[in-house]
Amino acid sequence: VQLVESGGGLVQPGGSLSLSCEVSGVALNYYAIGWFRQVPGKEREAVSCVSWTGRRTYYVDSVKGRFTISRDNAKKWSTLQMNNLKPEATAVYFCAIPSERYWWSDCVVNNYIYWGQGAQVTVSS
């Protein structure tokens, strides 16, 4: 199983970025997908997750109304659209897949076992 993130970079406060996650080696339509982020010295936290059907989503309170998660099972990718970015969003962002099929996973970090390498997002003027 391989996950590859792309789309990170430097953006000014209030700007937008779109992260993509390309998945291979697994039938993506059976699995939830999650986006997580980590700042040096802090624990990795859940940002957003989407169920295998795409009908159920989760967003951490700090990004609600500004971030949108999506997925395309046929193309085997997921996107995290991030709008009105704030400096506190600066982190390395990871996409991940949980250990079980057809499992919502509650968007909990420890329930995810397949991870991408991460993409740096920096929000700064």
Side-chain angles (χ1 to χ4, degrees):
V1 180
Q2 186 174 18
L3 296 88
V4 179
E5 299 96 341
S6 60
L10 172 65
V11 64
Q12 292 186 345
S16 298
L17 275 178
S18 180
L19 297 177
S20 293
C21 174
E22 184 174 1
V23 182
S24 60
V26 69
L28 186 60
N29 53 307
Y30 297 150
Y31 294 90
I33 297 176
W35 285 91
F36 303 83
R37 64 188 177 189
Q38 189 167 23
V39 175
K42 293 189 177 181
E43 292 187 353
R44 192 168 296 185
E45 69 165 349
V47 177
S48 180
C49 293
V50 59
S51 64
W52 56 96
T53 62
R55 289 196 289 265
R56 183 176 183 179
T57 58
Y58 163 86
Y59 295 94
V60 67
D61 285 347
S62 60
V63 308
K64 285 181 180 177
R66 300 184 297 112
F67 288 18
T68 303
I69 191 171
S70 62
R71 63 184 296 154
D72 186 322
N73 288 339
K75 295 182 179 179
K76 303 187 76 172
W77 56 257
S78 173
T79 295
L80 184 68
Q81 176 66 40
M82 305 182 291
N83 297 329
N84 190 19
L85 281 160
K86 302 178 180 180
E88 52 264 37
T90 296
V92 178
Y93 284 71
F94 302 87
C95 61
I97 293 175
S99 57
E100 301 290 338
R101 294 181 174 189
Y102 305 124
W103 184 30
W104 169 236
S105 79
D106 294 325
C107 210
V108 172
V109 172
N110 289 344
N111 292 338
Y112 284 72
I113 63 169
Y114 301 110
W115 293 84
Q117 82 287 353
Q120 176 69 46
V121 171
T122 302
V123 185
S124 175
S125 55

